[in-house]
Amino acid sequence: MDTNKFFSFPRIAMVMKREIMENWKTNLYRLIGIYAGFLLVMVFTMSKQAAYSDPQVAFQRYCSNVLGAFALIIGIFGFVYAANIMENMITKEKRIAFLMLPATMIEKFLARFLIVTVGLAVAVFVAASLAEITRYLLLPLFNVPETFHQSVLYNLLSMVSADGEQSYGGYVMNMSYQKWLGELCGWAFLVWLHSLYILGGSYWYKKPFFKTLGTLMLIFILCSVLSVHIVSWVGNDVMRSFAEWLEANFQWMTLNKLLSLGVAFFSAFTLFNWWLSYRLFTRSQVVKPKFRLL
């Protein structure tokens, strides 16, 4: 196989095919986990919504609850997938097999990156479809209105798309802003958080999710304690003066500009985390040293 080229889609496809076939049991178990989570939400939430007098209101309320639970499940599994980006390097034998593949380092990293991102999207789609089919089969066991016999997934997609199309301004603390910009900033924050788990998974091969989660919690606690000590050391008068100075010199700053800065900030650090993850991967060795430097 030609490895002279820096980047080749056929080689990425080859690496992905090999990874999927080698780890089919793990992928199957995770698919079953997502499916079980979706199904439990659909089934156990269905009986609670039948008490509404209006069947359509009951179904819409049911879809809203399912949408929130689905978002939580997808978020948890998204971080788990991201943290396990280098699970194929957990043992010496697996590192030898993966590093010796006839592909460049960037192709191997992109293959793993696509597996934990696009692969998650495929798993979510398959699991949601299977959960929808199972819900249809279990409907006769529940005393629900006829409105519950329509597709839940279609209504969830309609709710998401309708919410996304509302690009008009909103209000937060009497400050107007573009709603689409606020949603974009929220998505940028989530992608940045996802990139932190990719970075953690590129450094820790064993139990990367819990190690990354513990590290982030420790950093958050340290920052909270440090901020409290800084405020107490500086004093309320200095902080009040600083707030008045900001208010006097930053009248041009609007909420839309703050959201734009947030999008730029999180996007830049997301790219940095991806680059740092790739740098860690390029320094991978068969015998992993205890302390690795960039």
Side-chain angles (χ1 to χ4, degrees):
M1 184 175 293
D2 180 20
T3 57
N4 293 325
K5 295 180 180 179
F6 176 71
F7 190 83
S8 174
F9 285 105
R11 286 201 296 268
I12 293 178
M14 178 273 297
V15 176
M16 292 183 64
K17 180 180 178 181
R18 183 255 185 194
E19 289 298 300
I20 293 173
M21 294 179 65
E22 287 285 334
N23 303 303
W24 68 270
K25 285 187 179 180
T26 301
N27 297 328
L28 180 61
Y29 292 152
R30 288 175 183 162
L31 175 63
I32 294 174
I34 300 174
Y35 162 73
F38 286 171
L39 183 61
L40 289 175
V41 169
M42 282 185 167
V43 171
F44 284 101
T45 309
M46 189 159 46
S47 60
K48 298 180 181 180
Q49 307 302 323
Y52 285 85
S53 57
D54 190 344
Q56 189 61 35
V57 173
F59 183 71
Q60 291 299 324
R61 181 67 176 176
Y62 169 74
C63 290
S64 299
N65 294 335
V66 169
L67 180 61
F70 273 25
L72 178 62
I73 294 172
I74 293 172
I76 293 174
F77 275 94
F79 294 144
V80 171
Y81 268 68
N84 287 279
I85 185 172
M86 292 301 163
E87 63 183 347
N88 60 335
M89 305 267 286
I90 193 171
T91 63
K92 179 180 178 181
E93 293 75 14
K94 289 184 176 181
R95 286 195 289 273
I96 294 174
F98 189 64
L99 293 175
M100 292 299 292
L101 287 177
T104 61
M105 295 298 284
I106 191 171
E107 291 166 352
K108 296 172 188 176
F109 181 80
L110 281 177
R112 290 299 309 173
F113 182 84
L114 292 175
I115 287 175
V116 300
T117 52
V118 179
L120 171 66
V122 173
V124 167
F125 174 78
V126 174
S129 301
L130 293 176
E132 176 83 314
I133 295 173
T134 309
R135 187 189 72 88
Y136 274 120
L137 296 177
L138 296 178
L139 270 177
L141 301 178
F142 295 88
N143 183 22
V144 293
E146 289 294 327
T147 53
F148 280 77
H149 290 265
Q150 55 184 307
S151 174
V152 172
L153 295 182
Y154 176 78
N155 281 272
L156 295 182
L157 292 175
S158 300
M159 293 170 63
V160 173
S161 60
D163 185 66
E165 290 175 357
Q166 295 176 353
S167 58
Y168 51 81
Y171 291 90
V172 175
M173 298 177 62
N174 296 324
M175 298 178 66
S176 63
Y177 72 101
Q178 294 295 324
K179 188 174 181 180
W180 66 269
L181 194 57
E183 293 177 353
L184 182 61
C185 186
W187 280 108
F189 171 78
L190 291 177
V191 175
W192 169 73
L193 191 60
H194 184 269
S195 69
L196 291 176
Y197 282 88
I198 288 182
L199 179 60
S202 299
Y203 186 81
W204 292 295
Y205 295 162
K206 296 181 179 180
K207 299 180 180 179
F209 174 76
F210 295 103
K211 290 180 179 179
T212 305
L213 180 62
T215 302
L216 293 178
M217 292 178 63
L218 180 61
I219 293 175
F220 175 77
I221 293 173
L222 290 177
C223 290
S224 300
V225 173
L226 184 62
S227 62
V228 171
H229 281 285
I230 290 176
V231 172
S232 61
W233 177 70
V234 171
N236 293 329
D237 294 336
V238 177
M239 295 300 297
R240 189 179 300 108
S241 300
F242 179 69
E244 293 175 354
W245 179 83
L246 285 177
E247 185 178 357
N249 292 274
F250 288 89
Q251 295 292 337
W252 57 271
M253 181 62 70
T254 62
L255 187 55
N256 285 329
K257 292 180 180 179
L258 284 175
L259 292 174
S260 300
L261 289 175
V263 172
F265 175 84
F266 290 123
S267 300
F269 275 90
T270 297
L271 294 175
F272 175 75
N273 289 336
W274 289 344
W275 173 82
L276 198 58
S277 302
Y278 172 68
R279 290 284 296 175
L280 286 172
F281 175 66
T282 56
R283 300 297 180 92
S284 300
Q285 301 178 23
V286 173
V287 179
K288 182 181 177 184
K290 196 165 187 180
F291 300 98
R292 290 190 298 172
L293 298 176
L294 298 177

